[in-house]
Amino acid sequence: MQETRQNKIARLLQKELSVIFQEQTRSMHGVMVSVTRTKISPDLSVCTAYLSIFPSERGQELLGNIEQNVKSIRFALGQRVRNQLRIVPELRFFIDDSLDYIDRIDELLKRPTPTPSPNGGE
């Protein structure tokens, strides 16, 4: 029962954080931040959000900027979910580099493989 509630709240927070980041990055041309996944602690006090940042070269810079502004992000989130949640959870952000990992695997798979010599390596 508790896990179902956690999942619903995590989805709500993911949706609302996505909207907040979309509004914030609209003025920054060529930058896109999306919330790929959120997890909420069992006591609903901590929300861990995984962010996909494009271009990935600016990921650490933007993550640092987000962490500096976590209070204003939490306030904006509180304004959006004040009718659904009593307490707005503490926010923690991490970069989700799974897309970069997938691209790297694709790149490695597309490389031509060395063909073994017909003599068995002699």
Side-chain angles (χ1 to χ4, degrees), residues 10 52 74 102:
S52 178
R74 187 175 177 203
I102 291 169

Side-chain angles (χ1 to χ4, degrees), residues 17 21 47-51 63 66-67 70 73 91-95:
L17 282 171
F21 285 127
C47 174
T48 305
Y50 294 90
L51 307 175
L63 183 64
I66 288 168
E67 287 175 347
V70 74
I73 294 168
L91 299 174
R92 294 185 183 156
F93 295 104
F94 296 96
I95 291 181

Side-chain angles (χ1 to χ4, degrees), residues 25 28 46 56 63-64 77 81-82 84 91 95 103 107:
T25 58
M28 300 171 62
V46 179
S56 59
L63 183 64
L77 181 63
V81 299
R82 67 175 168 229
Q84 289 101 340
L91 299 174
I95 291 181
D103 286 342
E107 180 183 311

